[in-house]
Amino acid sequence: MTLKYSPPSAHQHSLPLSELVLLEETDVERGLTEEQVAERTATYGRNALPRLARVHPLRRLASQFLHPLVLVLIAAGAVSALVSEYLDAAVIAAVVIIDAAVGLVQESRAEAALSGLQDLLQAQVHVIRDGTDTVIDATGLVPGDVVLLAAGAQVPADIRITEALATRVDESPLTGESLPVGKSAGSVDPASALHERTNMLYAGTHIVAGVVKGIVVATGEETEIGAIHRLIGGADMLATPLTEELGRFTVFITIFIFILAAISFVGGLFHGETPKDMFIASVALAVGAIPEGMPAVVSVTLAIGVVRMARRGAIIRRLAAVEMLGSVTVICTDKTGTLTENRMTVQSLFTPAFTYHLTGADPAGEGLLVREDGLIPVSGDSDAALLACALAATAASDALLAYRSGSWETHGDPTDVALAIMAQHIPHEEVQVLEELRIPFTPARRFSAAVVLDTATEEGWTYVRGAPEVVLASCRAMLLPDGSTVPLDRARMQGTLDAAMRSGERIVAFAEASGNAFRHGNEDELPHHLTYVGSAGMVDPVRMGVREAIASCARGGIATKMVTGDQPETAQAVAGTLGLFQDSSTRVLLGSALAAQDSASAEDIREAAVFSRVTPDMKIQIVRALQDDSEVVAMTGDGVNDAPALRQAHVGIAMGRSGTAVARDAADIVLTDDNFATLEHAIEEGRGAIDNVIKYLAWALPTNMGEGLIILVAALLGTPLPILPSQILWVNLTTAVFLGMTLAIEAKDANIMNRPPRDIHGALISGEIVRHVIFVGVLVVASTGILFWWERGSGLSEAQARTAAVNLLILVEILCLLSYRTERFALQWSVLRKNIWMLAGIAVQLLIQGAFTYWPPLAAAFGAAAVPFPTWLKILAVGFLTGGAVELEKHLLRPHAHRFRNE
């Protein structure tokens, strides 16, 4: 009787291989039969990740018009249509449509992230079925398939290893481990973490060395990649503080305007006005009070921030990320590839007599190998052990250094490449490696060896490299600078290497022996008559400028936390180099503590500077804990394992060069140079963009409120309107374009990183701004009313008096615009010349106001009339008195505010 296949337990890595074969109902030598493949394909489907349900494009498009900012624009367009300003209504409609199209494109990023995961499983793979080795599409794999993989292959599913030869796997996209890990057959402890399962291969990782055979134990969504797929789909999409605040503000101002309009309507009826006339007046009040240009200016300000960030290497994929950067309080950053260069580099070289430091780690051999006493050695002239180290480093190496098309290319295991580059700095003759006497590195051996033939002497020499504890245990002597040997000073050598390891260096030890040292022994064990020649200390170097960027963030009130899958010793050493340990309260928190829910409290997460050996779900746990603690979190990463946390964070930042497609598609921002320092520059630009948004609101709201109050006061007093509805719309739209838009390109404050982030829980429209709005609004009502009735009393017509009031309103807006740019006196040339576009905008505004006043077609369209020269003198006098009052209020009532600073 044939039993129906059932999937293995969750502990495929811990089961004895014989038991796993029985459970999988497979044959290690012959693989599955075609009948078994068909049955399992029908039961478990293709080896592909399922696509989440997509929102229908029409529904997504409709949702774009429900955004609070867009509703304001729609309301403004409707009001424009009601007052027969069809051209303005058409312009506003075009803005709404463009904004909706942009939003529709931006929201596709979640589906793009999942598509990137799908691509990880698209490959060709060698599989054994019915005893025949064949090549199939990876999507056709099923649990129980027997596969063969070699160096360069992408792992297509989760696989239990049955045979491995010198196999090393790059698991950094999944675990964050910076170096390839050795793999072998056998069982491991059931409680072992993902990075400790040396007998497993996981989908999405890469074979960098060796060959391997194994049994597929999980496909599609059941793989570790599948678990990340679910995490990405389940990560929360957070609304941004600016969006939420502007949404609340929109609701408030709408209600407030309706109340004012109702008061105006009732007040006019009380004075005997007709309902039709008062409806028109109420519409005029709404036109005046609604800041029609606000959504467009906010969008343009953020868009300009996008352009500025792109120039500095940060590509923005979602517009809201610009303003979120200005509020970030914590950066959770990956180590490998973000803080470091993601390439192993020999930093130190220890021979028995001397310590050397390598400056420059390029394949061309540029840079210097410098001894501690400052001597620059040449080959073995000053230390014979140097030459032996170079030969041992390269004898059993698979690294390839090639000069092509004007640049050097490197291929092979990162450790091999680093040691080969080191050897380039030590002039030495090429030797002939006897391939039949090569012993590759395996996790069990923990060393590699090769027998070389000296072509000059025809003598053979054995060179060994490996883990220092393995190599030193087999050495009895050490090589001195003059080429002689003495008994090994084990304690001194071990002490030197221990100190290097404590500083975060990974050590590879070298030894030699004459002849073939393995001719009488087991190749899996080193003979005990080797001569120690030295060791190389390797690091993944910290990126240039990162330490300074972290310090700048700290001054700006932003904490940086390293979140990595790497081992704690390495992470702690890098953190120390970068200055992440600010005081004694900061510490390293292991992933095992996060896994035990009662072991890691919110306080532990808040105080930790480094999180080591963490998994994708732990990264989300960290981000959510910080968010629950009212932090605004930015998360950086480059691997598949980072993607869920990138989605969860307020701002997800992926690496553009080394990052996976999954990470880039899940992120809000992509750093083109993979440099943490670029993120610090992006934060500066984000803060500058928010400053400019606040400047715009502080400029637009008072004058808009003043325009609404003009209508209200006129209705309550039963007097003619000092400014007509169409004239108010003219003022709002022209000033938004030619004046307000220029605030979007204001340069950021030079000291912007010396103040704390904007508090997302504080009001965007602060009490200070509310007082300012009321003060300026009253000034606008008083000044325009005074000028209107002054001109009426001077014998001018209502059209001329209204034209004077409109021009006064424009002048006041220009003076307020200049005032809000700086806390110093606004009319200083040193202040004015910092934004030439603003001066150009003012010039254009004045020109079109001249056309508004004196060009008959335009004047007739808006009910304006030409005014005499004495009226302009009155406009200037009243305008500068009003502007002076605004400057006085700025210096007296908010002398210490930083909201409008642009020094």
Side-chain angles (χ1 to χ4, degrees), residues 333-578:
T333 175
D334 187 28
K335 177 185 72 69
T336 306
T338 307
L339 302 178
T340 64
E341 296 182 3
N342 194 21
R343 63 182 181 93
M344 295 310 296
T345 301
V346 174
Q347 176 174 275
S348 306
L349 187 58
F350 310 99
T351 66
F354 302 111
T355 295
Y356 301 89
H357 298 289
L358 185 62
T359 65
D362 59 285
E366 295 182 5
L368 297 173
L369 188 65
V370 183
R371 206 166 73 184
E372 283 183 318
D373 59 8
L375 178 67
I376 302 173
V378 179
S379 186
D381 294 349
S382 59
D383 190 350
L386 277 179
L387 178 59
C389 286
L391 295 174
T394 57
S397 173
D398 290 320
L400 174 63
L401 309 183
Y403 188 78
R404 295 191 181 96
S405 303
S407 62
W408 283 88
E409 297 178 4
T410 62
H411 302 279
D413 182 276
T415 298
D416 284 356
V417 170
L419 294 176
I421 292 174
M422 176 205 75
Q424 294 281 82
H425 293 74
I426 306 171
H428 61 280
E429 298 293 333
E430 293 296 327
V431 294
Q432 179 182 345
V433 179
L434 303 178
E435 292 294 333
E436 67 274 12
L437 297 178
R438 253 183 97 178
I439 302 175
F441 181 93
T442 66
R445 291 193 187 106
R446 304 185 67 197
F447 71 85
S448 63
V451 178
V452 304
L453 182 66
D454 188 328
T455 55
T457 64
E458 295 296 326
E459 295 180 352
W461 282 83
T462 300
Y463 290 100
V464 175
R465 74 180 200 198
E469 61 272 21
V470 174
V471 174
L472 282 173
S474 298
C475 292
R476 294 294 177 265
M478 59 184 185
L479 187 64
L480 297 182
D482 61 3
S484 62
T485 61
V486 296
L488 176 64
D489 187 347
R490 194 178 307 278
R492 183 168 67 86
M493 294 298 99
Q494 190 64 57
T496 299
L497 300 184
D498 286 345
M501 286 187 282
R502 285 194 297 272
S503 68
E505 295 186 27
R506 296 174 183 263
I507 303 299
V508 176
F510 308 120
E512 68 174 15
S514 61
N516 179 5
F518 294 90
R519 63 182 179 273
H520 300 304
N522 184 353
E523 289 187 352
D524 289 333
E525 293 183 6
L526 284 175
H528 293 285
H529 61 275
L530 301 180
T531 298
Y532 175 69
V533 298
S535 296
M538 293 184 293
V539 296
D540 182 3
V542 169
R543 286 185 176 276
M544 186 178 298
V546 169
R547 181 181 176 89
E548 294 75 12
I550 289 175
S552 176
C553 288
R555 290 193 300 272
I558 303 171
T560 302
K561 298 180 183 291
M562 181 193 297
V563 183
T564 178
D566 214 338
Q567 56 187 344
E569 295 81 7
T570 302
Q572 187 167 357
V574 173
T577 301
L578 294 173

Side-chain angles (χ1 to χ4, degrees), residues 170-227:
D170 177 11
E171 292 187 331
S172 60
L174 191 63
T175 66
E177 175 66 53
S178 55
L179 282 179
V181 295
K183 295 291 183 176
S184 61
S187 301
V188 296
D189 189 279
S192 59
L194 194 68
H195 63 273
E196 297 171 334
R197 299 172 188 173
T198 56
N199 61 353
M200 293 291 297
L201 301 175
Y202 291 104
T205 61
H206 291 81
I207 311 292
V208 297
V211 293
V212 66
K213 181 179 181 181
I215 300 172
V216 174
V217 295
T219 59
E221 195 174 17
E222 299 306 314
T223 62
E224 290 293 331
I225 287 288

Side-chain angles (χ1 to χ4, degrees), residues 764-834:
L764 183 69
I765 312 300
S766 65
E768 174 188 298
I769 293 182
V770 171
R771 292 192 300 270
H772 173 71
V773 168
I774 295 173
F775 176 77
V776 177
V778 171
L779 281 180
V780 168
V781 173
S783 60
T784 53
I786 288 172
L787 183 63
F788 176 79
W789 289 110
W790 188 1
E791 292 304 279
R792 289 290 289 139
S794 299
L796 297 185
S797 66
E798 278 191 5
Q800 289 177 307
R802 284 177 177 138
T803 303
V806 169
N807 284 299
L808 172 62
L809 188 57
I810 293 292
L811 178 60
V812 170
E813 292 203 23
I814 290 173
L815 294 174
C816 286
L817 181 74
L818 296 174
S819 178
Y820 300 155
R821 292 187 60 230
T822 175
E823 291 192 356
R824 292 185 290 171
F825 180 57
L827 297 182
Q828 296 181 68
W829 173 244
S830 61
V831 174
L832 295 176
R833 65 184 176 86
K834 288 185 176 181

Side-chain angles (χ1 to χ4, degrees), residues 21-362:
V21 170
L22 289 175
L23 189 60
E24 292 282 359
E25 296 181 22
T26 189
D27 186 311
V28 176
E29 300 302 326
R30 297 188 56 80
L32 298 175
T33 65
E34 291 302 326
E35 291 77 13
Q36 288 176 306
V37 171
E39 175 193 332
R40 297 180 190 189
T41 300
T43 303
Y44 299 103
R46 307 285 287 175
N47 179 31
L49 299 176
R51 297 188 179 275
L52 299 185
R54 294 187 177 186
V55 179
H56 193 279
L58 291 179
R59 183 176 179 183
R60 186 183 296 168
L61 179 63
S63 69
Q64 304 302 316
F65 297 98
L66 300 178
H67 192 285
L69 299 181
V70 178
L71 289 176
V72 172
L73 280 177
I74 292 173
V79 169
S80 299
L82 285 174
V83 296
S84 301
E85 296 294 334
Y86 299 115
L87 178 62
D88 295 326
V91 172
I92 293 174
V95 172
V96 169
I97 293 172
I98 292 172
D99 281 349
V102 172
L104 190 63
V105 172
Q106 291 167 348
E107 283 191 3
S108 66
R109 88 189 207 284
E111 291 180 0
L114 296 178
S115 297
L117 279 171
Q118 292 275 349
D119 294 340
L120 285 176
L121 299 184
Q122 304 300 316
Q124 298 291 305
V125 62
H126 284 267
V127 61
I128 299 175
R129 287 178 176 172
D130 280 329
T132 302
D133 181 0
T134 185
V135 177
I136 67 168
D137 191 280
T139 58
L141 287 176
V142 295
D145 262 327
V146 178
V147 297
L148 301 170
L149 301 171
Q154 178 175 281
V155 180
D158 288 359
I159 298 167
R160 169 68 182 272
I161 297 172
T162 60
E163 297 178 41
L165 177 60
T167 304
R168 296 176 68 76
V169 180
D170 177 11
E171 292 187 331
S172 60
L174 191 63
T175 66
E177 175 66 53
S178 55
L179 282 179
V181 295
K183 295 291 183 176
S184 61
S187 301
V188 296
D189 189 279
S192 59
L194 194 68
H195 63 273
E196 297 171 334
R197 299 172 188 173
T198 56
N199 61 353
M200 293 291 297
L201 301 175
Y202 291 104
T205 61
H206 291 81
I207 311 292
V208 297
V211 293
V212 66
K213 181 179 181 181
I215 300 172
V216 174
V217 295
T219 59
E221 195 174 17
E222 299 306 314
T223 62
E224 290 293 331
I225 287 288
I228 293 176
H229 177 275
R230 292 191 296 273
L231 287 175
I232 292 177
D236 299 332
M237 292 295 291
L238 302 178
T240 68
L242 183 62
T243 300
E244 293 178 339
E245 184 66 27
L246 289 177
R248 290 191 293 268
F249 173 72
T250 299
V251 173
F252 167 77
I253 198 170
T254 301
I255 295 174
F256 184 68
I257 288 170
F258 277 130
I259 292 173
L260 290 183
I263 294 174
S264 173
F265 186 83
V266 173
L269 294 179
F270 179 78
H271 285 289
E273 300 290 341
T274 67
K276 178 181 178 181
D277 289 340
M278 290 319 302
F279 176 76
I280 295 175
S282 298
V283 169
L285 188 151
V287 170
I290 291 178
E292 295 95 336
M294 180 182 72
V297 172
V298 170
S299 295
V300 169
T301 301
L302 298 181
I304 289 175
V306 169
V307 174
R308 287 175 172 172
M309 291 182 192
R311 290 172 181 166
R312 305 193 72 166
I315 305 300
I316 305 300
R317 302 185 68 251
R318 189 164 66 102
L319 197 61
V322 178
E323 63 103 350
M324 285 303 301
L325 279 175
S327 305
V328 164
T329 60
V330 175
I331 301 173
C332 293
T333 175
D334 187 28
K335 177 185 72 69
T336 306
T338 307
L339 302 178
T340 64
E341 296 182 3
N342 194 21
R343 63 182 181 93
M344 295 310 296
T345 301
V346 174
Q347 176 174 275
S348 306
L349 187 58
F350 310 99
T351 66
F354 302 111
T355 295
Y356 301 89
H357 298 289
L358 185 62
T359 65
D362 59 285

